[in-house]
Amino acid sequence: MAAASPAREICGLLFGSATMIDAARLCDNVADDPAIRFEIDPAALVGAHRAMRSGGPALIGHFHSHPIGRAEPSACDAASATTDGSLWLIIARGDMRLWRAVDGGGWLNRFEPVVLGVASPCATRPASP
């Protein structure tokens, strides 16, 4: 996704549980300058919260890209982060890193790194006889 949009930040929502990201949904970036900032379309965000309250998937965070940066939260990210424990998946130049927004975190006083593991969809299927 991010490679398809090298001149602007992509962004979206993450759904799952405390231990697993089950799905990611790409959203429109409505920031005033999407080349260097992201803002998830408020309609998508409100829709995800409404769906969650009605029994839909749990919204656990979001993702965005840094087309010219690193897969680390920027000062701008830290300034806009609410320290509610949500996940931030940041994608940059073929790298992606997962962060949790927490007060007093070790990265910019706002984020803690989270180990990102990737599970194969086949790993949970029973073996064939």
Side-chain angles (χ1 to χ4, degrees), residues 22-124:
D22 295 322
R25 182 179 310 146
L26 186 63
C27 298
D28 289 334
N29 181 351
V30 298
D32 59 343
D33 188 354
I36 59 171
R37 281 192 245 341
F38 82 97
E39 180 181 347
I40 294 172
D41 180 2
L45 196 52
V46 168
H49 281 284
R50 282 187 181 144
M52 185 173 62
R53 285 194 303 270
S54 299
L59 177 62
I60 59 170
H62 67 275
F63 65 90
H64 72 282
S65 66
H66 286 171
I68 58 171
R70 302 174 94 165
E72 300 165 341
S74 67
C76 185
D77 292 336
S80 66
T82 55
T83 54
D84 58 1
S86 62
L87 295 176
W88 287 55
L89 179 63
I90 302 177
I91 306 156
R93 298 186 191 154
D95 186 19
M96 59 182 172
R97 294 187 187 168
L98 190 60
W99 304 85
R100 186 173 309 280
V102 294
D103 190 35
W107 187 268
L108 299 173
N109 206 35
R110 283 283 187 268
F111 296 96
E112 288 293 334
V114 176
V115 175
L116 179 62
V118 179
S120 167
C122 299
T124 59

Side-chain angles (χ1 to χ4, degrees), residues 4-27:
S5 183
R8 58 185 288 136
E9 293 194 15
I10 57 126
C11 60
L13 303 173
L14 299 173
F15 300 91
S17 67
T19 59
M20 177 78 68
I21 298 171
D22 295 322
R25 182 179 310 146
L26 186 63
C27 298

